[in-house]
Amino acid sequence: MTEITSLEERFQAKIDADQRIEPRDWMPEKYRKTLIRQISQHAHSEIVGMLPEGNWITRAPSLRRKLGLIAKVQDEAGHGLYLYSAAETLGVERDELIDQLHIGKAKYSSIFNYPTLTWADIGAIGWLVDGAAIMNQVPLCRCSYGPYARAMVRVCKEESFHQRQGYEIMLTLCEGSPAQKAMAQDALNRWWWPALMMFGPNDAESTHSAQSMAWKIKRFSNDELRQRFVDMTKPQADYLGITIPDPDLKWDEEKQKHDFGEIDWDEFWKVVKGHGPCNKERLAARVKAHEEGQWVRDAAVAYANKKVNKISNNSQVA
Amino acid sequence: MSHKHAGSLHAADAEMAINNARDVYTRRQEGVSLWVVESKYITASNPEESESLFDPAEDKIYRHPTFYDLPDELEYI
Ligand SMILES: [Fe+2]
Ligand SMILES: [Fe+2]
């Protein structure tokens, strides 16, 4: 018992001194579990996040837009891979994590359970969803767990292109015909609140936050990050000349930040619990892709075995 | 040419690892050469020992060219 205590004290001292925890270091079981949950959910989000945007690749309005969108979706696949690799350093198999997603045990970001109805949604997603993701992810570059922090550095470098391509789409639509501008406004109307929900429950309701802060997995609270996002995004909406769908959103001169309306938490929990507009569709698409890719994995394993046999046969001859 | 650790991946053999590494880790010209090695063959220094391993070099400034005083007007040295 005392041994565990001293190990745990040393571990916490290391974190307090802003040192990184590496895979071979001793860590409390709860720290390991928390990270596996968070990193794998993050990885799942990157992969499932490819679906709403993949929906528009074949219908992108120009070759320039199509190239940008393909590159962005490809990046998200890469992000998923970096993150699955980071999770694996904690002693869990990727297959296991993917199974948990497919049976509905593991969650992914609820934002991807909303449909992409028009081309403007691709603009709104890049601007708002990738924007909110950056806000969440930049502090994770200093997360106490080394492999996760390093993966996030790479991810964050790539994200800024995603946000800029999204904003450029919105800008083009807003400078276009009245119908195009209305399309941009409609997309903002539908994506604004789900984007704010990406920061998670209010601090008072957030169950894992305090421990994650003490472990420096998390550096800022949900509400702090959400506030920053609102403050950053409002002037960008003004520049586009479209209106954020929140009558309570206004600048508070005294507090030097924006006041904004209450999130519909019933909707938030409904989508988290699997009853959003696209939860079933997204999961079905992932399961289908995984099952239809089985032959590729089988072929890779058969090929690897063949190579191993060849090498051992050769060495027998020699 | 110095090589830096870029990340890890799964592959059935070395050739596939090179192809996957090219797709995953060099989408923005991050490199012009790739090395792959199975993780079981890597022996790494212990991060906890980094002080005793690397700090001793800190006070050996005489290993750097700027330690030696030469007149400014001197060229090409
Ligand atoms: Fe991403
Ligand atoms: Fe992204």
Side-chain angles (χ1 to χ4, degrees):
Chain A
M1 189 65 212
T2 40
E3 202 173 311
I4 299 259
T5 319
S6 74
L7 279 171
E8 212 161 335
E9 273 166 11
R10 269 180 61 193
F11 168 83
Q12 189 63 48
K14 226 169 154 179
I15 286 179
D16 294 341
D18 268 328
Q19 284 177 19
R20 287 273 162 83
I21 306 300
E22 295 297 335
R24 289 182 305 169
D25 295 346
W26 184 89
M27 61 186 84
E29 199 45 29
K30 262 189 72 189
Y31 177 84
R32 203 177 69 85
K33 288 239 168 77
T34 300
L35 277 168
I36 291 176
R37 196 192 66 237
Q38 180 170 337
I39 301 174
S40 64
Q41 287 185 6
H42 194 160
H44 300 328
S45 301
E46 302 285 351
I47 299 298
V48 177
M50 296 163 76
L51 296 169
E53 291 183 289
N55 182 34
W56 279 91
I57 288 176
T58 55
R59 293 174 288 161
S62 69
L63 182 59
R64 184 175 187 276
R65 293 289 182 223
K66 189 171 183 164
L67 288 172
L69 185 56
I70 292 175
K72 176 183 191 278
V73 172
Q74 191 187 18
D75 272 354
E76 305 301 3
H79 298 174
L81 187 59
Y82 310 153
L83 287 161
Y84 283 127
S85 298
E88 283 178 307
T89 63
L90 291 157
V92 62
E93 291 285 324
R94 193 176 307 183
D95 291 350
E96 213 179 298
L97 300 175
I98 289 171
D99 282 347
Q100 284 174 0
L101 172 70
H102 292 173
I103 61 172
K105 230 182 111 193
K107 299 257 178 282
Y108 54 88
S109 181
S110 276
I111 191 83
F112 303 119
N113 291 316
Y114 290 86
T116 41
L117 304 178
T118 73
W119 171 251
D121 290 19
I122 301 307
I125 288 180
W127 173 36
L128 301 172
V129 176
D130 289 87
I134 292 171
M135 197 57 87
N136 271 327
Q137 287 168 351
V138 167
L140 287 172
C141 297
R142 295 189 296 127
C143 159
S144 60
Y145 188 58
Y148 192 26
R150 288 189 289 274
M152 291 322 297
V153 170
R154 188 174 277 279
V155 166
C156 285
K157 268 191 203 153
E158 300 182 349
E159 285 295 346
S160 82
F161 134 64
H162 301 175
Q163 198 190 14
R164 288 174 65 99
Q165 68 95 36
Y167 194 81
E168 197 197 73
I169 291 171
M170 293 301 272
L171 198 57
T172 306
L173 289 170
C174 289
E175 287 169 348
S177 68
Q180 286 171 320
K181 189 164 182 183
M183 199 195 256
Q185 178 67 60
D186 169 62
L188 174 59
N189 292 348
R190 284 180 291 107
W191 290 95
W192 175 252
W193 290 105
L196 291 195
M197 292 176 196
M198 286 174 69
F199 296 95
N202 283 135
D203 294 349
E205 319 289 325
S206 182
T207 38
H208 306 294
S209 281
Q211 182 62 77
S212 287
M213 291 276 225
W215 278 334
K216 293 191 184 166
I217 294 173
K218 221 177 147 122
R219 297 273 182 166
F220 301 99
S221 78
N222 296 352
D223 287 332
E224 276 176 290
L225 292 169
R226 186 161 24 233
Q227 179 71 51
R228 273 194 221 173
F229 178 74
V230 172
D231 291 337
M232 181 191 82
T233 310
K234 171 68 168 69
Q236 296 170 351
D238 292 345
Y239 188 88
L240 292 172
I242 49 181
T243 312
I244 290 175
D246 178 358
D248 297 323
L249 178 66
K250 52 180 174 298
W251 177 250
D252 185 326
E253 189 58 42
E254 203 177 305
K255 287 189 243 163
Q256 287 290 301
K257 58 186 186 187
H258 291 89
D259 282 331
F260 56 95
E262 192 59 41
I263 287 171
D264 180 352
W265 293 110
D266 286 342
E267 177 182 327
F268 173 82
W269 289 113
K270 217 176 72 191
V271 184
V272 168
K273 292 188 172 130
H275 309 295
C278 302
N279 295 58
K280 292 204 175 69
E281 188 186 327
R282 299 292 183 239
L283 214 52
R286 282 312 315 151
V287 171
K288 180 169 180 272
H290 190 69
E291 283 171 357
E292 289 178 357
Q294 184 61 46
W295 70 270
V296 180
R297 294 188 294 278
D298 291 344
V301 171
Y303 175 73
N305 289 339
K306 199 172 107 186
K307 279 225 146 176
V308 170
N309 291 337
K310 224 185 208 163
I311 291 165
S312 58
N313 284 345
N314 284 351
S315 50
Q316 270 167 24
V317 174
Chain B
M1 194 188 306
S2 68
H3 285 71
K4 245 182 108 176
H5 179 244
S8 45
L9 45 80
H10 288 190
D13 71 347
E15 194 189 334
M16 191 189 287
I18 289 274
N19 288 332
N20 291 353
R22 179 241 177 218
D23 288 349
V24 182
Y25 294 112
T26 67
R27 288 197 301 282
R28 290 177 178 79
Q29 295 180 293
E30 289 92 336
V32 292
S33 163
L34 287 167
W35 286 5
V36 294
V37 62
E38 276 187 66
S39 55
K40 68 177 177 200
Y41 294 122
I42 295 175
T43 309
S45 68
N46 184 346
E48 266 175 34
E49 287 165 11
S50 44
E51 268 177 42
S52 60
L53 286 174
F54 308 115
D55 283 1
E58 203 177 80
D59 57 4
K60 298 184 177 49
I61 47 170
Y62 46 84
R63 284 176 177 159
H64 297 273
T66 46
F67 179 76
Y68 300 93
D69 288 326
L70 294 182
D72 287 346
E73 52 272 30
L74 220 57
E75 281 184 317
Y76 308 116
I77 178 162

